[in-house]
Amino acid sequence: MASVSTTTSGADWEYAPAPESREIVTIRPEYGLFVNGEFVPPASGESFTTLNPASEEPLARVAQAGAADVDRAVASARKAFEATWGRLPGQERAKYLYRIARVIQERAREFAVLESLDNGKPIKESRDVDVPLAAAHFFYHAGWADKLGYAGFGPDPRPIGVAGQVIPWNFPLLMAAWKLAPALATGNTCVLKPAETTPLTALLLAEVIAEAGLPPGTVNIITGDGRTGAELVGHGGVDKIAFTGSTEVGKQIAETVAGTGKRLTLELGGKAANVVFDDAPIDQAVEGIVNGIFFNQGHVCCAGSRLLVQESVAGPVLDRLKRRLATLRLGDPLDKNTDIGAINSRPQLDKIEGLVAAGEAEGAQRWSPPCQLPAKGYWFPPTVFSGVSQSHKIAREEIFGPVLSVLTFRTPEEAVAKANNTPYGLSAGVWTEKGSRILWMAQRLRAGVVWANTYNRFDPASPFGGYQESGFGREGGRAGLAAYLDA
Ligand code: NDP
C-alpha cells in the first residue's frame, strides 16, 4: 500500500515509497496469556483476531481471558508479591528494570514495526516516540527503585501489593510502560490488560520481561476485551487499579471500586484547548496545532482538539494551517514518509464519522485537503471545522480522531473562559511571545498539563494526569510514584 499525498498544490513530483520492512517481526499465529512467567492457553478456550487496521489483514489469534484466567493471573501476582518481587531490595528491582529498558532499545525496530502493524500509527511515530519513550519510562523508574526512602514518602515507603492495570489502544506499548515501570519500581506486582485491538506489543513486552529474568508472576499480561477488564477491576485479590481509557468506562470502574478499599487512579478523556494569541510566531504555532491534533491520528487523550485563536489573526492562521495540511501524507503506516496512518478500528471510525456529521448538521464549516483514502482499511482525512460555537457537539465531546474544531476569542479573559468551558481538564497549550502571559494563562487554565509554545511533549519525569472528568492521580515523576506506594 502506498502513501497518498494529500497535496493538490500543483506539485508535479511525488515522494518515492520508503517502506520499513516487516521482516524483522515474527508474528505467531496464536498467542496465549502470559501468566507466572510463561505463555499458557486460556482456561476459557476462547480467542479473537487482531487486525492490521490499515489493511484489515488478520495478524494473529489472541486469547480471551475469562474469570478463571484472571483469577490465575492475580494469584500468580500475589504469590510473586509475597515470595519474591515484594521482598527484593530496591537496588535489585532496579537491575531488572534497567534490563527491560535495554532490551526494548535493542529490539526497538521490532517493537516499532509491530506497533504500526497492530495499531495503524505511522512508523515514524512508533519509531521516534512510542518505543523510545517506553524505554525511557523503564530507565527513569529504575533510577527511583533504590531511592524511594529519599523521595519524601517517609523513610521506608511500602508497595501496595497487586496492581490491576487496564490500558487503551492509542499508545499500546507506551501505556504498558507507563503502568508497569512505576508499579515495579515501587515493589508491586502486576496484572496488565491491553486493549482488544492492540495486544501484540504488550505480548512482545511479555517476552522481553521473561528474557530479563523477572521472577515468575511479577508481571502477568492477560488479553481480552472489556469483559476481561471488568473481571480484573472487580477481582477481590487486587489492591490497586490503574486505568487509562474513556471517561464512560472510568466512571463504571470508579463505581465498582468504591467502598472496596482498592486504590484507584484514572486517566480519562480530554478536550484540550490550544490557545493561539496574536503575538505568537505563526509558523511555529501552526506546526504546534498540527502536532497537537494530527499526531497519532488524533487518538490522543491530551490532543489539542479545540483551537482557540485570537480573532485578529484567525484568518492568516487558518490559511497557513490549511496550506500545511495539504502537505501531509496519509497512507501506509509502514512508509517512513507517512504523517497520518489508519484509524485504529471500525468502531472508532464510525464514532469519528458520527461526530463529524453532527458538526455539519449543527452548522460548522467542514474542510479537508483533497485526499484519496486507501480502498481497504479504516481511514479518515485530516479535518478542520471553522465557525464552531461552544455549544456544538464537536466543541464538547472527545472525537479521538484527526478532527480540529476552531473557535475564536478577543481577550485573554475570554480565552480562559472558553478553554475552561469543558467537563474535562487534562491538558492545554498556549502560544504567545510574552512570558508573563504564559504564566498568567497557566495559572488560570484548569488542566493537568499546560504546554507553552509547544504541544504533546512527554517526559517520564513530568507528572501527567487530569482534573474533573479527565480523571485523577498522576503518572510519571515523583507524583506518579505516590500512586503505587502505601505512604
Ligand atoms: P475504553 O475505555 O472502552 O477502553 C480502554 C480499556 O478498558 C480497554 O482495554 C478496554 O478493553 C477496557 N474496558 C472496556 N470496558 C471495560 C470495563 N467495563 N471494565 C474494565 N475495562 C474495560 O475505550 P474504547 O477503546 O472503547 O474507546 C472509546 C472512546 O474512549 C474513544 O473513542 C475515545 O474517545 C476514548 N478513549 C480515550 C482514551 C484516553 O486515553 N483518554 C483512550 C482510549 C479511548 P477493550 O479494548 O477490549 O474494549
Side-chain angles (χ1 to χ4, degrees), residues 97-158:
L97 292 184
Y98 280 124
R99 219 175 282 163
I100 296 171
R102 280 196 292 267
V103 182
I104 292 176
Q105 287 184 320
E106 279 161 23
R107 301 178 71 173
R109 230 177 103 213
E110 197 179 344
F111 271 109
V113 171
L114 189 60
E115 195 76 300
S116 284
L117 284 171
D118 203 19
N119 170 281
K121 64 174 73 202
I123 185 78
K124 69 176 179 191
E125 291 179 4
S126 47
R127 182 196 61 197
D128 299 345
V129 182
D130 298 58
V131 178
L133 271 177
H137 268 269
F138 281 103
F139 275 121
Y140 174 80
H141 286 95
W144 270 122
D146 61 350
K147 301 174 192 70
L148 298 172
Y150 312 95
F153 301 112
D156 187 24
R158 306 301 307 153

Coordinates of all heavy atoms in Angstrom, one line a residue, residues 97-158:
L97 N 14.7 -3.6 35.9 CA 14.1 -2.5 35.1 C 15.1 -2.0 34.1 O 14.7 -1.7 32.9 CB 13.6 -1.4 36.0 CG 12.4 -1.7 36.9 CD1 11.9 -0.5 37.7 CD2 11.2 -2.3 36.2
Y98 N 16.3 -1.8 34.5 CA 17.3 -1.4 33.5 C 17.4 -2.4 32.4 O 17.5 -2.1 31.2 CB 18.7 -1.2 34.2 CG 18.9 0.1 34.9 CD1 19.2 0.1 36.3 CD2 18.7 1.3 34.3 CE1 19.4 1.3 37.0 CE2 18.8 2.5 35.0 CZ 19.2 2.5 36.3 OH 19.3 3.7 37.0
R99 N 17.4 -3.7 32.8 CA 17.5 -4.7 31.8 C 16.3 -4.6 30.8 O 16.5 -4.7 29.6 CB 17.5 -6.1 32.5 CG 18.4 -7.1 31.9 CD 18.4 -8.3 32.7 NE 19.2 -8.3 33.9 CZ 19.1 -9.1 34.9 NH1 18.2 -10.1 34.9 NH2 19.9 -9.0 36.0
I100 N 15.1 -4.5 31.3 CA 13.9 -4.3 30.4 C 14.1 -3.1 29.4 O 13.9 -3.2 28.2 CB 12.6 -4.2 31.2 CG1 12.3 -5.4 32.0 CG2 11.4 -3.9 30.3 CD1 11.2 -5.2 33.0
A101 N 14.6 -2.0 30.0 CA 14.8 -0.8 29.2 C 15.8 -1.1 28.1 O 15.6 -0.7 26.9 CB 15.2 0.3 30.1
R102 N 16.9 -1.8 28.4 CA 17.9 -2.0 27.4 C 17.4 -3.0 26.3 O 17.7 -2.8 25.2 CB 19.2 -2.5 28.1 CG 20.0 -1.4 28.7 CD 21.4 -1.9 29.0 NE 21.4 -2.8 30.0 CZ 21.6 -2.5 31.3 NH1 21.8 -1.3 31.7 NH2 21.5 -3.4 32.2
V103 N 16.6 -4.0 26.7 CA 16.2 -4.9 25.7 C 15.1 -4.2 24.8 O 15.1 -4.5 23.6 CB 15.6 -6.2 26.4 CG1 15.1 -7.2 25.3 CG2 16.6 -6.9 27.3
I104 N 14.3 -3.3 25.4 CA 13.4 -2.6 24.5 C 14.2 -1.8 23.5 O 13.9 -1.8 22.3 CB 12.5 -1.6 25.3 CG1 11.5 -2.4 26.2 CG2 11.7 -0.7 24.4 CD1 10.6 -1.6 27.1
Q105 N 15.3 -1.2 23.9 CA 16.1 -0.4 23.0 C 16.7 -1.4 21.9 O 16.7 -1.0 20.7 CB 17.2 0.3 23.7 CG 16.7 1.5 24.5 CD 17.9 2.3 25.1 OE1 18.8 1.7 25.6 NE2 17.8 3.6 25.1
E106 N 17.2 -2.5 22.4 CA 17.8 -3.4 21.4 C 16.8 -3.9 20.4 O 17.1 -4.1 19.2 CB 18.4 -4.7 22.2 CG 19.7 -4.4 22.8 CD 20.0 -5.5 23.9 OE1 19.4 -6.6 23.8 OE2 20.8 -5.1 24.8
R107 N 15.6 -4.1 20.8 CA 14.6 -4.6 19.9 C 13.6 -3.5 19.4 O 12.5 -3.8 19.1 CB 13.8 -5.8 20.7 CG 14.7 -6.9 21.1 CD 14.0 -8.0 21.8 NE 13.1 -8.8 21.0 CZ 12.5 -9.9 21.4 NH1 12.7 -10.4 22.6 NH2 11.8 -10.6 20.6
A108 N 14.1 -2.3 19.4 CA 13.3 -1.2 19.1 C 12.6 -1.2 17.8 O 11.4 -0.9 17.6 CB 14.1 0.1 19.2
R109 N 13.4 -1.7 16.8 CA 12.8 -1.7 15.4 C 11.6 -2.7 15.4 O 10.6 -2.5 14.8 CB 13.8 -2.1 14.4 CG 13.8 -1.1 13.2 CD 14.9 -1.3 12.3 NE 14.4 -2.0 11.1 CZ 15.0 -2.9 10.4 NH1 16.2 -3.3 10.7 NH2 14.5 -3.4 9.3
E110 N 11.8 -3.8 16.0 CA 10.8 -4.9 16.1 C 9.5 -4.3 16.8 O 8.4 -4.5 16.2 CB 11.4 -6.0 16.9 CG 10.8 -7.3 16.8 CD 11.5 -8.3 17.6 OE1 12.7 -8.1 18.1 OE2 10.9 -9.4 17.9
F111 N 9.7 -3.7 17.9 CA 8.6 -3.1 18.6 C 7.9 -2.1 17.7 O 6.6 -2.0 17.6 CB 9.0 -2.4 19.9 CG 9.0 -3.3 21.1 CD1 10.2 -3.7 21.6 CD2 7.8 -3.8 21.6 CE1 10.2 -4.6 22.7 CE2 7.8 -4.6 22.7 CZ 9.0 -5.0 23.3
A112 N 8.7 -1.2 17.0 CA 8.0 -0.1 16.2 C 7.2 -0.7 15.1 O 6.1 -0.3 14.8 CB 9.1 0.8 15.7
V113 N 7.8 -1.7 14.4 CA 7.1 -2.3 13.2 C 5.8 -2.9 13.7 O 4.7 -2.8 13.2 CB 8.0 -3.2 12.4 CG1 7.2 -4.0 11.4 CG2 9.1 -2.5 11.8
L114 N 5.9 -3.7 14.8 CA 4.8 -4.4 15.3 C 3.7 -3.4 15.8 O 2.5 -3.7 15.5 CB 5.2 -5.3 16.5 CG 4.1 -6.3 17.0 CD1 3.7 -7.2 15.9 CD2 4.7 -7.1 18.2
E115 N 4.1 -2.3 16.4 CA 3.1 -1.4 16.9 C 2.4 -0.7 15.7 O 1.1 -0.6 15.7 CB 3.8 -0.3 17.7 CG 2.9 0.6 18.5 CD 2.4 -0.1 19.8 OE1 1.7 -1.2 19.6 OE2 2.6 0.4 20.9
S116 N 3.1 -0.4 14.7 CA 2.5 0.2 13.5 C 1.5 -0.8 12.8 O 0.5 -0.4 12.3 CB 3.5 0.7 12.5 OG 4.0 1.9 13.0
L117 N 1.9 -2.1 12.8 CA 1.1 -3.1 12.1 C -0.3 -3.3 12.9 O -1.3 -3.3 12.3 CB 1.8 -4.4 12.1 CG 2.9 -4.6 11.0 CD1 3.6 -5.9 11.3 CD2 2.3 -4.6 9.6
D118 N -0.2 -3.3 14.2 CA -1.4 -3.7 15.0 C -2.2 -2.4 15.3 O -3.4 -2.5 15.5 CB -0.9 -4.3 16.3 CG -2.0 -5.2 17.0 OD1 -2.9 -5.6 16.3 OD2 -1.9 -5.5 18.2
N119 N -1.6 -1.2 15.4 CA -2.3 0.0 15.7 C -2.7 0.8 14.6 O -3.7 1.6 14.6 CB -1.4 0.8 16.7 CG -2.0 2.2 17.0 OD1 -1.8 3.1 16.2 ND2 -2.7 2.3 18.1
G120 N -1.8 0.9 13.5 CA -2.1 1.7 12.3 C -1.4 3.0 12.4 O -1.5 3.8 11.5
K121 N -0.6 3.3 13.4 CA 0.1 4.6 13.5 C 1.4 4.6 12.6 O 2.0 3.5 12.4 CB 0.5 4.9 15.0 CG 1.5 4.0 15.6 CD 1.9 4.5 17.0 CE 0.8 4.3 18.0 NZ 0.9 5.2 19.1
P122 N 1.7 5.8 12.1 CA 2.9 5.8 11.2 C 4.2 5.3 11.9 O 4.4 5.6 13.1 CB 3.0 7.3 10.9 CG 1.7 7.9 11.3 CD 1.1 7.1 12.3
I123 N 5.0 4.7 11.1 CA 6.2 4.1 11.7 C 7.1 5.2 12.3 O 7.8 5.0 13.2 CB 7.0 3.3 10.6 CG1 8.2 2.6 11.2 CG2 7.4 4.1 9.4 CD1 7.9 1.4 12.0
K124 N 7.1 6.4 11.7 CA 8.0 7.4 12.3 C 7.5 7.8 13.7 O 8.4 8.2 14.5 CB 8.1 8.6 11.3 CG 7.0 9.5 11.1 CD 7.4 10.7 10.2 CE 6.2 11.6 10.0 NZ 6.4 12.6 9.0
E125 N 6.3 7.7 14.0 CA 5.8 7.9 15.3 C 6.2 6.8 16.3 O 6.7 7.0 17.4 CB 4.3 8.3 15.4 CG 4.1 9.6 14.7 CD 2.6 10.0 14.6 OE1 1.7 9.3 15.2 OE2 2.3 11.1 14.0
S126 N 5.9 5.6 15.8 CA 6.2 4.4 16.7 C 7.7 4.3 16.9 O 8.1 4.1 18.1 CB 5.6 3.1 16.2 OG 5.9 2.9 14.9
R127 N 8.4 4.6 15.9 CA 9.9 4.5 16.0 C 10.5 5.7 16.8 O 11.4 5.4 17.6 CB 10.5 4.5 14.5 CG 12.0 4.4 14.4 CD 12.4 4.9 13.0 NE 12.0 6.3 12.8 CZ 12.0 6.8 11.6 NH1 12.2 6.1 10.5 NH2 11.7 8.1 11.4
D128 N 10.0 6.9 16.6 CA 10.6 8.0 17.3 C 10.0 8.5 18.6 O 10.5 9.3 19.3 CB 10.6 9.2 16.3 CG 11.4 8.9 15.0 OD1 12.2 7.9 15.0 OD2 11.3 9.7 14.0
V129 N 8.8 8.0 18.8 CA 8.1 8.5 20.0 C 7.7 7.3 20.9 O 8.3 7.2 22.0 CB 6.8 9.3 19.7 CG1 6.1 9.8 20.9 CG2 7.1 10.4 18.7
D130 N 6.9 6.4 20.5 CA 6.3 5.4 21.4 C 7.4 4.5 22.0 O 7.5 4.3 23.2 CB 5.4 4.4 20.6 CG 4.1 5.2 20.1 OD1 4.3 6.1 19.3 OD2 3.0 4.8 20.5
V131 N 8.3 4.0 21.1 CA 9.3 3.0 21.6 C 10.4 3.7 22.5 O 10.7 3.2 23.6 CB 9.8 2.1 20.5 CG1 10.9 1.2 21.0 CG2 8.7 1.4 19.8
P132 N 11.0 4.8 22.0 CA 12.0 5.4 22.9 C 11.4 5.9 24.2 O 12.1 5.8 25.2 CB 12.4 6.6 22.0 CG 12.0 6.4 20.7 CD 10.9 5.4 20.7
L133 N 10.2 6.4 24.2 CA 9.6 6.8 25.4 C 9.3 5.7 26.4 O 9.4 5.8 27.6 CB 8.3 7.6 25.2 CG 8.4 9.1 25.0 CD1 7.0 9.7 24.6 CD2 9.0 9.8 26.2
A134 N 8.9 4.5 25.8 CA 8.6 3.3 26.6 C 9.9 2.9 27.3 O 10.0 2.7 28.5 CB 8.1 2.2 25.8
A135 N 11.0 2.9 26.6 CA 12.3 2.6 27.2 C 12.7 3.6 28.2 O 13.1 3.3 29.3 CB 13.4 2.5 26.1
A136 N 12.4 4.9 27.9 CA 12.8 6.0 28.9 C 12.0 5.8 30.2 O 12.5 6.1 31.3 CB 12.5 7.3 28.3
H137 N 10.8 5.3 30.1 CA 10.0 5.1 31.4 C 10.6 4.1 32.2 O 10.7 4.2 33.5 CB 8.5 4.8 31.0 CG 7.7 6.0 31.0 ND1 7.0 6.5 32.1 CD2 7.5 6.9 30.0 CE1 6.4 7.6 31.7 NE2 6.7 7.9 30.4
F138 N 11.1 3.0 31.6 CA 11.8 2.0 32.4 C 13.1 2.5 33.0 O 13.4 2.3 34.2 CB 11.9 0.7 31.6 CG 10.7 -0.1 31.6 CD1 9.9 -0.1 30.4 CD2 10.2 -0.9 32.7 CE1 8.7 -0.8 30.3 CE2 9.0 -1.6 32.6 CZ 8.3 -1.6 31.4
F139 N 13.9 3.2 32.2 CA 15.1 3.8 32.7 C 14.9 4.7 33.9 O 15.5 4.6 34.9 CB 15.9 4.6 31.6 CG 16.7 3.7 30.7 CD1 16.5 3.6 29.3 CD2 17.8 3.0 31.2 CE1 17.3 2.9 28.5 CE2 18.6 2.2 30.4 CZ 18.3 2.1 29.1
Y140 N 13.9 5.6 33.7 CA 13.6 6.6 34.7 C 13.2 6.0 36.0 O 13.7 6.3 37.1 CB 12.5 7.6 34.2 CG 12.0 8.5 35.2 CD1 12.7 9.7 35.5 CD2 10.9 8.3 36.0 CE1 12.3 10.6 36.5 CE2 10.4 9.2 36.9 CZ 11.2 10.3 37.2 OH 10.8 11.2 38.1
H141 N 12.3 5.0 35.9 CA 11.8 4.4 37.1 C 12.8 3.4 37.8 O 12.8 3.3 39.0 CB 10.4 3.7 36.9 CG 9.3 4.7 36.8 ND1 8.9 5.2 35.5 CD2 8.6 5.4 37.7 CE1 8.0 6.1 35.7 NE2 7.8 6.3 37.0
A142 N 13.7 2.9 37.0 CA 14.8 2.1 37.5 C 15.6 3.0 38.4 O 16.0 2.5 39.5 CB 15.7 1.5 36.4
G143 N 15.8 4.2 38.1 CA 16.6 5.1 38.9 C 15.9 5.4 40.2 O 16.6 5.7 41.2
W144 N 14.6 5.4 40.3 CA 13.9 5.6 41.6 C 13.9 4.4 42.5 O 13.8 4.6 43.7 CB 12.4 6.0 41.3 CG 12.1 7.4 41.1 CD1 11.5 8.0 40.0 CD2 12.3 8.5 42.0 NE1 11.4 9.3 40.2 CE2 11.8 9.7 41.4 CE3 12.9 8.6 43.3 CZ2 11.9 10.9 42.0 CZ3 12.9 9.8 43.9 CH2 12.4 11.0 43.3
A145 N 14.0 3.2 41.9 CA 13.7 2.0 42.7 C 14.5 1.9 44.1 O 14.0 1.5 45.1 CB 14.0 0.7 41.9
D146 N 15.8 2.4 44.1 CA 16.5 2.3 45.3 C 16.6 3.7 46.1 O 17.4 3.8 47.0 CB 18.0 1.8 45.0 CG 18.7 2.7 44.1 OD1 18.1 3.6 43.5 OD2 19.9 2.5 43.9
K147 N 15.8 4.6 45.6 CA 15.9 5.9 46.3 C 14.5 6.4 46.9 O 14.3 7.5 47.2 CB 16.3 7.0 45.3 CG 17.6 6.7 44.6 CD 18.0 7.6 43.5 CE 19.2 7.1 42.8 NZ 18.9 5.9 42.0
L148 N 13.6 5.4 47.0 CA 12.2 5.7 47.4 C 12.2 6.3 48.9 O 11.4 7.1 49.2 CB 11.3 4.5 47.3 CG 11.2 3.9 45.9 CD1 10.4 2.6 46.0 CD2 10.4 4.9 45.0
G149 N 13.2 5.9 49.7 CA 13.3 6.3 51.0 C 13.7 7.8 51.1 O 13.6 8.4 52.2
Y150 N 14.1 8.4 50.0 CA 14.6 9.8 50.0 C 13.7 10.6 49.1 O 14.0 11.7 48.7 CB 16.0 9.9 49.4 CG 16.9 8.9 50.1 CD1 17.2 7.6 49.5 CD2 17.5 9.1 51.3 CE1 18.0 6.7 50.1 CE2 18.4 8.2 51.9 CZ 18.6 7.0 51.3 OH 19.4 6.1 51.9
A151 N 12.5 10.1 48.8 CA 11.6 10.8 47.8 C 10.5 11.6 48.5 O 9.6 12.1 47.9 CB 11.0 9.8 46.9
G152 N 10.6 11.6 49.8 CA 9.6 12.4 50.6 C 8.3 11.7 50.9 O 7.3 12.2 51.3
F153 N 8.4 10.3 50.9 CA 7.3 9.5 51.3 C 7.6 8.8 52.6 O 7.0 7.8 53.0 CB 7.0 8.4 50.3 CG 6.7 8.9 48.9 CD1 7.6 8.7 47.8 CD2 5.6 9.7 48.6 CE1 7.4 9.2 46.6 CE2 5.3 10.2 47.4 CZ 6.2 9.9 46.3
G154 N 8.5 9.3 53.4 CA 8.9 8.7 54.7 C 10.1 7.8 54.4 O 10.5 7.6 53.2
P155 N 10.7 7.3 55.5 CA 12.0 6.6 55.3 C 11.8 5.2 54.6 O 12.8 4.7 54.0 CB 12.5 6.4 56.7 CG 11.3 6.6 57.6 CD 10.3 7.5 56.9
D156 N 10.7 4.6 54.8 CA 10.5 3.2 54.2 C 9.2 3.0 53.6 O 8.3 2.3 54.1 CB 10.8 2.2 55.4 CG 10.8 0.8 54.8 OD1 11.1 0.6 53.7 OD2 10.5 -0.1 55.6
P157 N 8.9 3.7 52.5 CA 7.6 3.5 51.9 C 7.4 2.1 51.3 O 8.3 1.6 50.7 CB 7.6 4.6 50.7 CG 9.0 4.9 50.5 CD 9.8 4.6 51.7
R158 N 6.2 1.6 51.5 CA 5.9 0.2 51.2 C 5.1 0.1 49.9 O 4.3 1.0 49.6 CB 5.2 -0.5 52.3 CG 5.8 -0.5 53.7 CD 7.2 -1.0 53.7 NE 7.2 -2.4 53.2 CZ 8.3 -3.0 52.6 NH1 9.4 -2.3 52.5 NH2 8.2 -4.2 52.2

